[in-house]
Amino acid sequence: MKAFALRLAVFALMMAAAVDVRAQNLGSTESSEHLIKAGYVYNFAKLVEWPAWATPKGQPIVIGVLGNDDFAAVLSHAVDGKKVDDRVFVVKRLKSRDPLKDCGCRILFVAASESARTDEIIQFQNASSVLTIAEAPDFAKRGGIIALTLGEDSKIRFAINVDAAAQASLTISSRLLTLATIVHTAR
Amino acid sequence: MPTILLVEDNELNRDMLSRRLIRRGYTVITAHDGEQGHTMACSDSPDLILMDVGLPRMDGWQVTRLLKSNAGTREIPIIALTAHALLTDREKAREVGCDDYDTKPIEFERLLHKIESLLVVKGVL
Amino acid sequence: MNLRNLSIERKLTLLAMLTSTLAVVLSSASFLIYDLVTFRSILSQDLATEAQIVAYNSAAAMAFNDEAAATVQLSALTAKQDLVAAVLYKSDGTVFAHYYRAGSPKPELPAPVEGREARVASGHIEVFNDVSLRGERLGTLFLQSDMQRWNTRARQYAGILVIFVLLSGLLAWFVSSRMQRLVSRPILDLEQAMRIVSVDKNYGVRAVKTTSDETGRLIDGFNTMLAEIQHRDKALQRANNDLKTRTQELEDEIVHRKRTQEELLKAKDAAEEASRAKSAFLANMSHELRTPLNAIIGYSEILEEETRDSGPAENVRDLRRIQGAGKHLLSLINDVLDLSKIEAGKMALHLETFEVESLLEEMITTLQPAAERNANRLQLRVHGDIGSMHADITKVRQILFNLLSNACKFTENGTVTLDAERQPGSEDRLYFRVTDTGIGMTPQQQRNLFQYFAQADSSTARKYGGTGLGLAISQRFTHMMRGDIHVTSHSGQGSTFTLELPAKVAPEAAEPSSELPASPPVVETLSDLPARTTVLVIDDDVSVRDLMSRFLEKLDYRVISAPSGLEGLRLAREIQPDIITLDVVMPQMNGWDVLDQLKSDPALASIPVIMITVVDHEALGLERGASNYLVKPIDRDRLAEALDRHRRPDEDSMALALSGDR
């Protein structure tokens, strides 16, 4: 019964998200964009696999949100109660000054405001097998894994640097790759 | 004396028999064929007729039949004389109504005896 | 066409073809069905697998709500030719993305079904499959296939099957049309042989045996049968030929016998004709001879009488010699006439009943002059009561006259004795013995005594006269009356002639050839009433016979009746009736035939016949010898009159001795 109720809630959320996106498209409100990006982050989590050492059983998947607490709130709300392989989600707000080491994140969402820390983030990502998602459009080209951007047609698009993903020992589902723009690290 | 009509075509027999009868006292008249015999029997009314059967023109049987069927001559006794010594002649003689019968050659005494007995019956003698 | 009238060849071919084709069709069809069913389930599984893959692949697109990517993914299904439609439903049931095969009409989309499901509906396979990502259901994929491959396969299979069946049928026909000869050839050969036998009737044909199976045995049986038929045919032929030969022989024999019979008949006719001519000649001769004799005897008698009265005595003696010679000649003629009648079988008996003693006395009186001529004493001795006898008085008289006159002739100065005796017993017979004391006879003379023209010797005739026929005639008359005549004599010591006769001479005695047994009642009646006139009534109508009997018996006739011509003839011979009345219209043998037979039978010819009939042919009747002719219905008075004319006279006043003095 509990599962059913949960599923129903997600459904309602998804509907709301769709409505929100539409509304965002019409009205460009920040909250609806957050909501859609939260759904994307959730879907990414389902289509990416971490190396076994990074995801011990029973451990929650920690999503770190750097630089945007509003989004963190929306995301936290969106993934609340959802599971991937019996692992729940935990959303952690990170401050701009917070050290990334030992934050325990498997996914790190980087708001556009934190673009200055990109190199540090990329270092961290490679060292700790963290799926990094950034709103900076050149993030993937600079060595990040996923760049999540709002296109001119108000649709959200994403680009994936498969080299970076491989360097971070992450396996990205082909199904996700078919939907993404594939980029390589510029040298 | 009684009159006897002798009907006989054979001249010798006629002569011989008539002479012998005449010698015995009979009146004899003769005829030489059947027709004449019949005529004379009717006209001369003899007391007895000696009738040869083998006659020309009308044979003795026929003449006898005629005479016996005629009331006027029926009572005249007729003795048939035949040369055929056959028994059928005897029968025939009876049949046509002859009163007696004798065969030739004539045994005169026997014939005479027959004549006499017939005349006695008739009452002439 | 009726299957049963097909030839054995066709039947066998057809049988093999049908059997093999049926087997092929059945096995192929079961294989086909199995294959198609299997293929359909494979198709169904394939489609389900396809659905799984597509659902997996399109899950991300659905998750990211990327309709275009989903559509692109579905479009990849174009390669699947039999796929009609592929549709992605969102979890709320609305269509997210779809693919319809080009050229096909847009199918009616069913409501999505959760989970997995494969179904076959109206020639289509439909598959539903959930679309989910990491356990989360996002929507439903629907795939619809029109089983094009299955249909194609089925069509191909059907085509192959038809070709296969045709080929196998052809092969079966080819093989069976050759193999059937194994069975049909011997049968057809047998049939051919049978046809030859039945058409040509040639039983020498044999069917050739090529196999040792049932047909071979059939042919053996047929050949055995043919051999048997041939054997019997030959036997039959032989018998037939034998029969033909024998028939031919018989026919030849019959022809031969017929010819002989005809010749015999001709000879008989000729003989009878000759006999008749002879009899007629004799009768005429006797007449012609008698007429002049009549004159000779008559005139010599007249002369004798006249001479006795007036003429010389020597002339009287001479005239008497003339008379004697004439009378001898007359007796010769009479004897010859009698003999001719006996020979011709025309001598008939005329039986009547008469007193014996008066006859004997008459004989003695008649012969007295002859006895006296030789100075003999003639005496009659009647022993006991001799009574009457029933016989032909004329013939009895003639026999006794002959015996007595012979005795007187051959005896001089002696005694001639006539003894008469009746010996009643089992057979009532009369014995007449004529004994003389004359010259007697030697045994040799006695032996020839009854031969024609037999006298003791030729000198006897000169001395004693006589014809030499008298005893022969007497003996035959005696035999006709079933009597006997014999002699005992010693030369020089006289002779004794014994005549024995039955007291009642049987009528048929006159006809020794027809020895029919007399029916006892008739004989009794005859012996009871010998003197009454007997009338034989021949009529096929019983009522006429009855009427006639009663009427005639009232008139004191004795009546015997016969119901047919044949019986009438038999009775006529048996009883010698005095009168016969004869009906004309009778079955089997009519009255005319009876009349002819009566008149041609010498023993019966003298019996008067009165024809009584409805048919008026008086002239014909009289011409054929009938005495009277009466037409039915019978006038009783005329019948009485006709009968009365033939009634037996009470005394034989008209009887005359043919023999005269002898």
Side-chain angles (χ1 to χ4, degrees):
Chain A
M1 256 326 226
K2 201 177 170 187
F4 181 66
L6 184 71
R7 205 174 274 186
L8 199 65
V10 171
F11 183 66
L13 176 92
M14 293 291 278
M15 289 300 102
V19 169
D20 284 349
V21 169
R22 204 143 293 160
Q24 177 206 350
N25 286 348
L26 292 171
S28 286
T29 60
E30 209 170 52
S31 62
S32 64
E33 188 190 323
H34 289 334
L35 195 58
I36 291 166
K37 284 182 177 174
Y40 272 50
V41 171
Y42 169 64
N43 284 336
F44 290 151
K46 289 200 279 191
L47 294 165
V48 173
E49 279 179 39
W50 284 266
W53 61 263
T55 52
K57 254 193 159 182
Q59 291 284 320
I61 297 169
V62 180
I63 304 171
V65 178
L66 184 67
N68 192 338
D69 291 346
D70 290 346
F71 177 70
V74 170
L75 179 62
S76 179
H77 184 70
V79 297
D80 184 34
K82 298 200 186 234
K83 284 181 180 174
V84 175
D85 298 337
D86 293 329
R87 295 160 72 191
V88 298
F89 290 95
V90 173
V91 177
K92 212 182 234 186
R93 292 181 190 91
L94 299 175
K95 300 297 180 205
S96 301
R97 296 295 178 183
D98 286 352
L100 294 176
K101 268 187 197 171
D102 311 319
C103 73
C105 297
R106 293 269 77 83
I107 297 169
L108 178 66
F109 185 83
V110 181
S113 57
E114 300 295 319
S115 302
R117 296 181 69 184
T118 301
D119 291 339
E120 185 196 346
I121 290 164
I122 289 167
Q123 216 172 10
F124 171 65
Q125 130 203 330
N126 290 340
S128 305
S129 285
V130 176
L131 174 64
T132 56
I133 305 161
E135 290 177 314
D138 58 348
F139 179 71
K141 284 181 183 162
R142 288 174 64 184
I145 295 173
I146 296 173
L148 192 64
T149 56
L150 186 68
E152 290 173 7
D153 55 352
S154 299
K155 273 188 98 174
I156 290 170
R157 301 179 187 279
F158 57 92
I160 295 174
N161 187 329
V162 287
D163 299 333
Q167 205 171 352
S169 303
L170 295 177
T171 306
I172 297 172
S173 166
S174 60
R175 291 186 286 173
L176 182 60
L177 291 178
T178 57
L179 302 174
T181 305
I182 307 298
V183 295
H184 298 274
T185 309
R187 304 242 167 156
Chain B
M1 278 306 275
T3 304
I4 294 175
L5 171 60
L6 172 62
V7 188
E8 168 67 82
D9 63 323
N10 186 295
E11 199 190 332
L12 286 178
N13 283 340
R14 199 167 62 231
D15 174 57
M16 190 169 64
L17 201 51
S18 56
R19 271 170 66 183
R20 295 176 87 174
L21 286 170
I22 290 165
R23 273 180 62 80
R24 298 298 170 110
Y26 291 100
T27 306
V28 178
I29 54 177
T30 60
H32 52 76
D33 65 37
E35 271 183 14
Q36 198 190 7
H38 181 249
T39 310
M40 288 176 72
C42 293
S43 58
D44 294 18
S45 299
D47 295 302
L48 186 140
I49 300 172
L50 293 173
M51 180 76 73
D52 180 29
V53 292
L55 291 172
R57 306 191 72 153
M58 190 193 283
D59 73 21
W61 305 128
Q62 284 173 295
V63 178
T64 308
R65 251 195 212 108
L66 281 173
L67 293 175
K68 285 297 177 186
S69 60
N70 186 335
T73 53
R74 186 181 291 156
E75 298 306 321
I76 305 172
I78 298 176
I79 297 174
L81 302 177
T82 172
H84 301 286
L86 297 176
L87 289 158
T88 45
D89 286 342
R90 184 174 108 179
E91 306 296 327
K92 188 110 184 187
R94 276 191 198 178
E95 188 195 318
V96 300
C98 291
D99 297 80
D100 212 337
Y101 168 96
D102 208 345
T103 45
K104 294 177 183 179
I106 301 301
E107 201 173 323
F108 188 67
E109 293 302 326
R110 191 175 66 201
L111 177 63
L112 207 56
H113 177 69
K114 287 181 178 175
I115 290 169
E116 281 168 3
S117 44
L118 280 173
L119 290 174
V120 167
V121 168
K122 204 193 162 194
V124 176
L125 283 180
Chain C
M1 174 173 53
N2 195 337
L3 198 66
R4 287 164 194 276
N5 295 338
L6 284 177
S7 72
I8 280 192
E9 284 177 303
R10 276 166 192 262
K11 273 183 195 154
L12 287 171
T13 308
L14 209 59
L15 188 69
M17 273 179 72
L18 279 176
T19 312
S20 56
T21 306
L22 195 65
V24 167
V25 167
L26 276 178
S27 55
S28 305
S30 53
F31 171 73
L32 185 67
I33 290 164
Y34 171 77
D35 184 81
L36 288 177
V37 167
T38 311
F39 187 55
R40 196 176 66 186
S41 86
I42 288 171
L43 282 181
S44 180
Q45 278 172 20
D46 279 1
L47 199 62
T49 309
E50 192 74 36
Q52 265 179 297
I53 292 167
V54 172
Y56 176 80
N57 285 336
S58 57
M62 277 197 88
F64 291 100
N65 207 20
D66 192 341
E67 201 182 310
T71 305
V72 168
Q73 277 190 343
L74 291 180
S75 300
L77 292 169
T78 311
K80 298 268 176 189
Q81 285 184 348
D82 52 356
L83 196 73
V84 178
V87 176
L88 282 167
Y89 296 92
K90 287 194 256 186
S91 53
D92 61 357
T94 55
V95 174
F96 173 68
H98 62 80
Y99 157 78
Y100 301 136
R101 190 169 64 187
S104 296
K106 182 175 179 274
E108 294 234 342
L109 295 179
V113 174
E114 273 191 47
R116 269 190 211 168
E117 188 176 309
R119 66 186 185 201
V120 177
S122 59
H124 291 79
I125 305 173
E126 293 177 341
V127 173
F128 294 92
N129 203 95
D130 279 354
V131 178
S132 55
L133 190 62
R134 301 302 280 260
E136 187 183 351
R137 183 174 170 269
L138 301 174
T140 301
L141 174 67
F142 166 69
L143 292 182
Q144 189 188 45
S145 164
D146 62 358
M147 302 213 302
Q148 202 180 45
R149 280 167 67 201
W150 189 89
N151 288 334
T152 305
R153 192 182 177 107
R155 268 198 301 278
Q156 283 170 345
Y157 271 24
I160 289 167
L161 176 63
V162 167
I163 290 167
F164 190 55
V165 165
L166 285 177
L167 278 176
S168 65
L170 203 63
L171 191 66
W173 173 78
F174 182 75
V175 172
S176 64
S177 64
R178 269 155 185 75
M179 296 296 278
Q180 55 85 16
R181 288 183 197 161
L182 271 178
V183 178
S184 66
R185 178 56 45 198
I187 292 178
L188 292 177
D189 287 349
L190 179 61
E191 194 245 341
Q192 178 68 19
M194 279 177 169
R195 207 190 341 246
I196 289 172
V197 168
S198 63
V199 172
D200 300 346
K201 310 294 176 207
N202 178 3
Y203 298 107
V205 171
R206 290 291 178 276
V208 180
K209 181 186 174 187
T210 49
T211 57
S212 300
D213 57 359
E214 289 86 344
T215 315
R217 288 201 289 279
L218 186 64
I219 286 169
D220 278 347
F222 176 67
N223 285 340
T224 311
M225 208 169 74
L226 273 184
E228 182 67 17
I229 289 174
Q230 200 176 12
H231 175 71
R232 296 202 178 177
D233 215 30
K234 274 181 188 158
L236 194 65
Q237 190 63 44
R238 267 201 304 280
N240 223 357
N241 287 340
D242 277 8
L243 193 66
K244 263 190 196 156
T245 313
R246 281 181 202 174
T247 309
Q248 189 56 49
E249 284 170 7
L250 273 178
E251 276 171 4
D252 291 351
E253 179 68 19
I254 287 169
V255 168
H256 178 70
R257 288 200 184 178
K258 255 192 188 151
R259 207 172 292 143
T260 312
Q261 195 184 18
E262 277 165 16
E263 282 164 7
L264 283 174
L265 272 175
K266 268 185 209 156
K268 178 177 165 271
D269 286 349
E272 280 176 355
E273 186 52 44
S275 173
R276 265 195 295 280
K278 185 184 132 196
S279 298
F281 171 75
L282 286 170
N284 282 334
M285 275 295 286
S286 63
H287 175 63
E288 296 306 324
L289 290 171
R290 274 191 233 212
T291 307
L293 260 181
N294 217 8
I296 292 167
I297 296 167
Y299 278 107
S300 64
E301 280 179 357
I302 293 171
L303 269 180
E304 190 206 330
E305 285 171 17
E306 287 174 355
T307 310
R308 212 161 34 215
D309 292 348
S310 56
E314 309 87 57
N315 287 3
V316 171
R317 201 180 60 240
D318 291 346
L319 286 167
R320 278 202 175 142
R321 282 178 185 151
I322 293 171
Q323 277 177 52
K327 283 179 178 170
H328 183 211
L329 189 54
L330 188 60
S331 73
L332 255 177
I333 290 168
N334 284 335
D335 283 354
V336 167
L337 194 57
D338 276 352
L339 265 180
S340 76
K341 279 197 281 189
I342 290 167
E343 295 297 288
K346 284 191 172 174
M347 186 58 78
L349 287 177
H350 296 272
L351 301 178
E352 52 194 281
T353 307
F354 53 89
E355 289 298 323
V356 178
E357 194 159 353
S358 57
L359 173 73
L360 297 180
E361 280 164 3
E362 180 201 319
M363 298 293 303
I364 295 298
T365 311
T366 310
L367 279 155
Q368 204 61 50
E372 283 165 6
R373 217 170 284 153
N374 279 352
N376 289 323
R377 197 162 64 87
L378 187 58
Q379 61 176 17
L380 172 66
R381 291 199 300 232
V382 177
H383 304 268
D385 182 13
I386 194 90
S388 65
M389 74 182 294
H390 184 72
D392 187 325
I393 190 172
T394 311
K395 292 186 174 60
V396 174
R397 188 188 280 132
Q398 195 172 327
I399 297 164
L400 288 174
F401 188 92
N402 183 256
L403 294 178
L404 286 169
S405 62
N406 279 344
C408 292
K409 219 182 279 176
F410 297 109
T411 308
E412 284 176 26
N413 301 312
T415 309
V416 174
T417 311
L418 173 58
D419 289 285
E421 190 178 0
R422 192 182 196 119
Q423 285 193 355
S426 61
E427 209 181 356
D428 193 4
R429 288 178 94 85
L430 292 168
Y431 290 83
F432 305 97
R433 243 185 322 276
V434 176
T435 310
D436 65 55
T437 55
I439 57 175
M441 285 172 286
T442 62
Q444 173 66 34
Q445 287 170 331
Q446 287 172 41
R447 261 198 296 285
N448 295 328
L449 196 59
F450 296 104
Q451 309 280 319
Y452 291 149
F453 301 105
Q455 282 182 326
D457 54 55
S458 51
S459 63
T460 317
R462 278 199 299 279
K463 186 177 177 186
Y464 300 104
T467 62
L469 291 172
L471 276 173
I473 292 168
S474 294
Q475 190 193 40
R476 275 149 192 80
F477 281 173
T478 307
H479 286 169
M480 280 175 74
M481 291 185 280
R482 292 283 157 90
D484 199 8
I485 188 167
H486 47 89
V487 62
T488 53
S489 177
H490 295 286
S491 192
Q493 295 178 18
S495 310
T496 301
F497 285 84
T498 307
L499 167 69
E500 65 169 280
L501 287 171
K504 288 181 183 67
V505 174
E508 78 272 22
E511 189 77 23
S513 60
S514 61
E515 294 187 339
L516 290 169
S519 39
V522 173
V523 170
E524 252 171 46
T525 319
L526 272 176
S527 57
D528 286 344
L529 295 158
R532 275 163 70 194
T533 302
T534 303
V535 181
L536 173 62
V537 175
I538 305 176
D539 197 306
D540 62 326
D541 189 341
V542 66
S543 58
V544 171
R545 292 202 301 273
D546 269 356
L547 265 172
M548 291 283 285
S549 296
R550 268 186 274 161
F551 177 60
L552 296 180
E553 262 156 13
K554 229 178 262 175
L555 295 174
D556 202 33
Y557 289 98
R558 193 163 70 91
V559 181
I560 289 161
S561 56
S564 72
L566 277 172
E567 178 65 8
L569 281 171
R570 192 186 73 77
L571 280 171
R573 290 197 185 96
E574 188 178 296
I575 62 173
Q576 293 279 325
D578 297 291
I579 307 167
I580 296 173
T581 74
L582 179 59
D583 185 22
V584 171
V585 184
M586 285 189 294
Q588 287 178 328
M589 191 184 208
N590 68 37
W592 298 122
D593 295 336
V594 178
L595 181 63
D596 286 347
Q597 291 227 7
L598 285 170
K599 288 304 167 189
S600 63
D601 188 338
L604 304 173
S606 59
I607 302 174
V609 177
I610 300 174
M611 305 290 285
I612 298 180
T613 178
V614 288
V615 191
D616 191 355
H617 284 306
E618 181 161 17
L620 184 61
L622 295 177
E623 186 184 306
R624 291 210 190 188
S627 305
N628 290 76
Y629 198 97
L630 297 182
V631 179
K632 285 181 186 174
I634 303 160
D635 181 338
R636 291 191 171 202
D637 291 343
R638 285 194 62 193
L639 176 62
E641 191 189 333
L643 286 166
D644 202 41
R645 249 189 270 165
H646 304 293
R647 195 192 274 268
R648 184 195 296 272
D650 287 333
E651 58 182 38
D652 194 18
S653 61
M654 288 211 250
L656 72 134
L658 282 176
S659 50
D661 52 349
R662 165 170 325 195

